[in-house]
Amino acid sequence: MLTLALMLLDVQARLKDVLRSTIRSQWNMEPPDIVLNQTPKIEYGELATPIAFELARTLKRPPRAIAEELIMRVGKIDGVERMEPAGAGYINFFLDRATVVRGSRLRGYPGDDGKIIVEHTNINPNKAAHIGHLRNATIGDTFVRVLNAAGRNVEIQNYIDNTGVQVADVIVGLIHVEKKTLDDLRRMIANRTTKFDYYCWDVYARVASFYETKDPKYNWRAQTLKQIEEGNNDTARMAEVVAMTIAQCHVRTMARINVHYDLLPRESDILHLKFWEHAFRQLREKEAIFFEREGKNAGCWVMRLDSEGQEDDKIIVRSNGTVTYVGKDIAYQLWKVGLLEKDFNYEVFDAGADVWVTTSGEGRKDHPAFGRGSTVYNVIDVRQSYLQNVVRQGLLALGYEEQARRSIHFSYEVVALTPACAEHLGVEISPEDRKRPHIEVSGRKGQGVKADDLLDTLELEARKEVVERNRELKPTETETIAHQIAVGALRYFLLKFTRTAIIAFDFKEALNFDGETGPYIQYAAVRANNIFLKLRETDATFDAARIQKMLNDPRLATFLNESNDIWELVYLALRLDEIAHQVVVTLEPAALAKYAFTLGQRFNLFYHRYRIISEENADRKLFYILVVDLVRESLLKALDLMGIEVPRRM
């Protein structure tokens, strides 16, 4: 596993260690938490700490005096040129610029042996994927890429809820509204011209009115759910065909935005392989759930929760014997953290993409080892926070405190559309809606934007821009570049907002080649690549060994120290690993998106301010090329971490 700019993280860790040991020896006390911040201006150094203010509370001395004493006692630190007191008691650290750059070249480092399971996407297999699912998949996939880059052992799961209410509703619609048989569905699926996930999208919307007029008590839903859970009947077989066909559609859709999976665990297998029975027994034995004999939940097994000081009961098993979503999810979570003493059987779902799926059948013996994660991240939108808390409470009630702590809900807000975007995609909106900042969509009402439709429209708009800028390109290359730009625009747009923000998607904003967009950063990376293409065109003898030569040149320090704006660009490029680490700690991919945009922006300023290819001084020219190479390396890596490819041209 390769990583970039590990040197900066090393320096920061070394700084903290030295400060801690100095505080212990100087004042015979356990040091408080040491925080390192970026300075507001590079002229003040690269890092600063307010530790003297923390110490002043205990030592009863002025922070400035403590800062000065610390600096005197600390002495020389590798990678740090000097330390200075600042303001009322800050300590500013000025890095040894040349040493930091020389330590920034790609090098490997060992990852943690503990497996991390990231579960994301998790689309109900009852209809086509929509724009909200794209945010889930983009956040989850980016997080996986960051973990992989850090050397972690990551398993990517996409849970298939093929026995839930949404699938049951589609089956009710197919049987009672559409009057379809299992053979009808198989013929429809075999017809490659039929978009089966789109067809089921419409069926799912129509079944709502069926319930209103024909089945207001949802008796057909309850009966269908029970038949699906029991299995080995025509209704269950129809649900199996529908769910797995649509799951294939979902996997293909997500592959369009560079999202892939290791395993698709199926909810039906949790039931048929008796996972739920094992979990149910544990929950009963530990008295984590109770059987209600009276009241509104009579006949149900419930988990008692305390919600804001008031007792609240969550139904785990309904009175008709069917298991709620959260009950099956508790069993699934127990398996993920290796506490169930049961395992799935497995078969290949997509050999080309190396994706596996669970099965209740015999399965294959040569499958990878799945599950048993030391930490589990469930990427699910904020509306599921309550249910995710119930799952966590289930683990706590069973006594698994450490596993509950390592079961993390990676939440995010939903995606809406700007009124202009909604109309562009054919969503009917009222005059009142046109005045609103965003339009919320509902799959149950048939109001929404299918993910593939959105991607098709983005590619069409990107293709127009590519043709306008590069009329000499062949159609196949135009298509490839348009696809890369469309995916870059979409993924960046979905990542640049903090995960607690509701996104109002807008075509014009996302596809803009200027401003804070994916295409802008792609363009900066293409520009950096083109510098090396032009360099080889103008100097056939140029090779990468010259860059290494500049790294070892004594004049490197002189060049880095004479221009703060160039050093600020280089220093930002070297901070990629620090930002990636921040993403893991804070669960905020927006930090990576912001970093990539800022780096691209500052590189473009550098490109316009300095002559690079035409620089007459050979040594200075080589230094500029080194700067471009450092920035290019970080830009390409940052884009890759966000699942964004760099086109050959733009």
Side-chain angles (χ1 to χ4, degrees):
M1 185 61 60
L2 296 177
T3 187
L4 180 67
L6 190 59
M7 180 66 182
L8 281 180
L9 290 178
D10 287 345
V11 171
Q12 291 182 24
R14 197 177 300 124
L15 272 172
K16 291 182 178 182
D17 287 343
V18 171
L19 287 171
R20 277 192 287 262
S21 63
T22 303
I23 291 168
R24 289 190 185 103
S25 62
Q26 183 65 19
W27 292 293
N28 192 29
M29 61 181 290
E30 192 59 29
D33 185 41
I34 296 174
V35 176
L36 293 175
N37 299 315
Q38 301 297 318
T39 59
K41 292 184 179 181
I42 205 73
E43 292 84 352
Y44 304 150
E46 290 76 24
L47 298 167
T49 181
I51 186 62
F53 294 96
E54 294 292 324
L55 294 172
R57 298 173 185 173
T58 302
L59 299 176
K60 308 302 182 183
R61 292 175 55 194
R64 176 85 182 196
I66 295 173
E68 291 171 345
E69 188 170 348
L70 261 178
I71 291 170
M72 182 181 66
R73 297 293 182 183
V74 161
K76 177 65 177 172
I77 302 175
D78 289 342
V80 178
E81 182 184 87
R82 69 184 190 277
M83 294 170 279
E84 293 180 357
Y90 287 94
I91 300 175
N92 288 358
F93 301 93
F94 295 78
L95 299 183
D96 184 331
R97 297 178 178 183
T99 298
V100 170
V101 170
R102 290 187 182 110
S104 71
R105 296 282 76 182
L106 284 171
R107 57 189 173 116
Y109 71 106
D112 191 295
D113 291 334
K115 180 194 284 187
I116 296 176
I117 293 175
V118 179
E119 176 199 341
H120 68 78
T121 306
N122 303 350
I123 311 172
N124 289 315
N126 68 320
K127 65 183 187 305
H130 60 62
I131 186 172
H133 300 132
L134 293 175
R135 187 179 196 190
N136 184 307
T138 298
I139 289 174
D141 179 69
T142 298
F143 189 60
V144 166
R145 288 168 181 265
V146 171
L147 290 172
N148 279 328
R152 302 306 301 271
N153 175 20
V154 186
E155 181 175 301
I156 314 157
Q157 297 186 8
N158 176 8
Y159 185 70
I160 308 299
D161 181 4
N162 60 339
T163 67
V165 170
Q166 288 80 7
V167 171
D169 284 346
V170 167
I171 300 304
V172 169
L174 289 169
I175 295 174
H176 299 286
V177 179
E178 299 295 301
K179 309 298 182 183
K180 298 294 184 184
T181 65
L182 182 55
D183 287 338
D184 291 335
L185 294 185
R186 285 173 173 156
R187 282 191 292 270
M188 186 181 300
I189 293 165
N191 182 355
R192 298 298 182 184
T193 62
T194 301
K195 291 186 175 181
F196 188 70
D197 54 339
Y198 279 38
Y199 170 70
C200 288
W201 175 290
D202 295 333
V203 172
Y204 183 63
R206 285 197 289 270
V207 79
S209 59
F210 168 80
Y211 284 137
E212 288 179 5
T213 58
K214 303 291 186 181
D215 187 20
K217 294 186 177 180
Y218 297 96
N219 292 321
W220 282 116
R221 173 192 282 174
Q223 180 180 329
T224 301
L225 267 174
K226 191 170 181 61
Q227 290 173 330
I228 291 173
E229 286 194 7
E230 290 172 349
N232 199 29
N233 56 70
D234 285 345
T235 300
R237 282 186 278 272
M238 181 179 284
E240 170 78 2
V241 168
V242 169
M244 296 318 294
T245 300
I246 292 179
Q248 289 173 341
C249 296
H250 293 165
V251 169
R252 285 196 296 268
T253 298
M254 295 306 158
R256 292 182 67 183
I257 62 167
N258 304 323
V259 173
H260 306 280
Y261 313 95
D262 296 317
L263 177 67
L264 309 181
R266 303 191 312 165
E267 190 170 270
S268 59
D269 299 320
I270 288 176
L271 296 170
H272 300 158
L273 292 172
K274 312 302 183 184
F275 278 31
W276 166 244
E277 289 187 12
H278 279 251
F280 189 35
R281 184 174 65 249
Q282 286 192 48
L283 290 165
R284 294 199 314 270
E285 289 175 353
K286 297 289 182 66
E287 297 186 343
I289 59 175
F290 301 86
F291 185 75
E292 289 285 8
R293 301 187 180 278
E294 56 186 23
K296 64 177 182 178
N297 294 332
C300 300
W301 285 91
V302 302
M303 181 181 294
R304 290 181 182 162
L305 307 172
D306 186 63
S307 179
E308 297 182 357
Q310 296 185 1
E311 186 180 275
D312 184 26
D313 293 348
K314 177 60 184 175
I315 296 174
I316 305 300
V317 182
R318 303 180 186 93
S319 58
N320 66 358
T322 58
V323 187
T324 61
Y325 162 81
V326 73
K328 288 174 278 193
D329 212 38
I330 290 172
Y332 175 41
Q333 192 73 11
L334 287 170
W335 169 79
K336 282 192 287 187
V337 296
L339 294 173
L340 201 62
E341 298 180 358
K342 291 278 291 182
D343 197 6
F344 292 107
N345 299 321
Y346 305 93
E347 60 188 23
V348 174
F349 181 79
D350 185 338
D354 197 24
V355 182
W356 291 74
V357 64
T358 62
T359 177
S360 304
E362 184 175 344
R364 287 176 49 167
K365 304 299 182 185
D366 59 342
H367 64 82
F370 293 113
R372 296 188 176 276
S374 62
T375 303
V376 176
Y377 293 91
N378 297 322
V379 183
I380 306 176
D381 77 52
V382 70
R383 295 171 299 182
Q384 302 297 316
S385 295
Y386 170 71
L387 294 178
Q388 284 294 299
N389 184 54
V390 174
V391 172
R392 186 173 176 276
Q393 289 296 322
L395 294 181
L396 288 171
L398 291 170
Y400 301 130
E401 294 184 10
E402 178 64 19
Q403 289 82 357
R405 187 178 67 82
R406 290 177 171 270
S407 297
I408 300 163
H409 178 201
F410 194 139
S411 64
Y412 63 93
E413 266 292 357
V414 297
V415 181
L417 304 171
T418 63
C421 181
E423 289 190 300
H424 192 149
L425 288 164
V427 178
E428 293 186 12
I429 60 175
S430 66
E432 292 77 18
D433 284 338
R434 289 190 182 91
K435 301 174 184 177
R436 296 168 57 191
H438 62 263
I439 307 295
E440 295 182 9
V441 293
S442 170
R444 190 172 289 277
K445 296 178 182 178
Q447 300 171 340
V449 177
K450 301 177 186 71
D452 282 315
D453 285 350
L454 176 63
L455 284 163
D456 290 343
T457 304
L458 280 168
E459 289 184 5
L460 179 63
E461 296 299 320
R463 192 181 305 120
K464 293 176 183 176
E465 188 73 27
V466 174
V467 170
E468 183 66 27
R469 291 167 176 255
N470 305 275
R471 295 188 178 276
E472 75 284 3
L473 289 178
K474 294 179 180 179
T476 53
E477 188 166 14
T478 298
E479 294 292 329
T480 298
I481 293 174
H483 171 73
Q484 291 171 327
I485 292 173
V487 172
L490 175 64
R491 289 192 60 133
Y492 187 82
F493 194 94
L494 295 174
L495 288 171
K496 74 175 183 176
F497 298 94
T498 59
R499 59 190 176 91
T500 57
I502 296 176
I503 294 178
F505 187 82
D506 183 81
F507 281 113
K508 187 175 181 180
E509 182 181 348
L511 277 170
N512 199 333
F513 278 52
D514 298 312
E516 192 178 352
T517 66
Y520 177 86
I521 305 169
Q522 287 174 308
Y523 188 79
V526 169
R527 172 171 276 167
N529 282 335
N530 285 342
I531 288 173
F532 282 87
L533 291 175
K534 292 177 181 177
L535 186 63
R536 292 185 180 95
E537 290 174 1
T538 57
D539 184 355
T541 65
F542 179 82
D543 61 58
R546 292 194 195 177
I547 299 175
Q548 187 64 37
K549 182 180 178 182
M550 172 51 68
L551 274 174
N552 299 320
D553 194 312
R555 284 168 293 187
L556 176 62
T558 302
F559 287 133
L560 287 169
N561 289 323
E562 71 181 11
S563 176
N564 275 338
D565 65 324
I566 291 182
W567 167 242
E568 196 166 11
L569 171 63
V570 170
Y571 178 64
L572 181 62
L574 301 183
R575 291 185 60 205
L576 176 56
D577 266 11
E578 176 194 337
I579 301 301
H581 178 71
Q582 182 181 328
V583 170
V584 175
V585 172
T586 63
L587 303 184
E588 187 51 86
L592 178 61
K594 185 70 175 179
Y595 165 84
F597 169 68
T598 304
L599 184 60
Q601 192 177 43
R602 290 185 180 172
F603 172 70
N604 284 333
L605 289 173
F606 166 78
Y607 176 85
H608 290 296
R609 187 175 296 170
Y610 294 92
R611 297 183 302 173
I612 301 170
I613 300 296
S614 60
E615 171 60 49
E616 295 179 357
N617 183 290
D619 291 330
R620 188 172 296 281
K621 176 178 178 179
L622 193 56
F623 169 67
Y624 290 160
I625 293 168
L626 171 63
V627 172
V628 174
D629 196 37
L630 289 168
V631 173
R632 180 177 70 152
E633 194 173 76
S634 291
L635 269 179
L636 295 178
K637 184 62 177 176
L639 286 167
D640 182 63
L641 291 176
M642 292 187 288
I644 299 173
E645 297 175 319
V646 178
R648 187 178 72 85
R649 297 177 63 175
M650 287 187 70

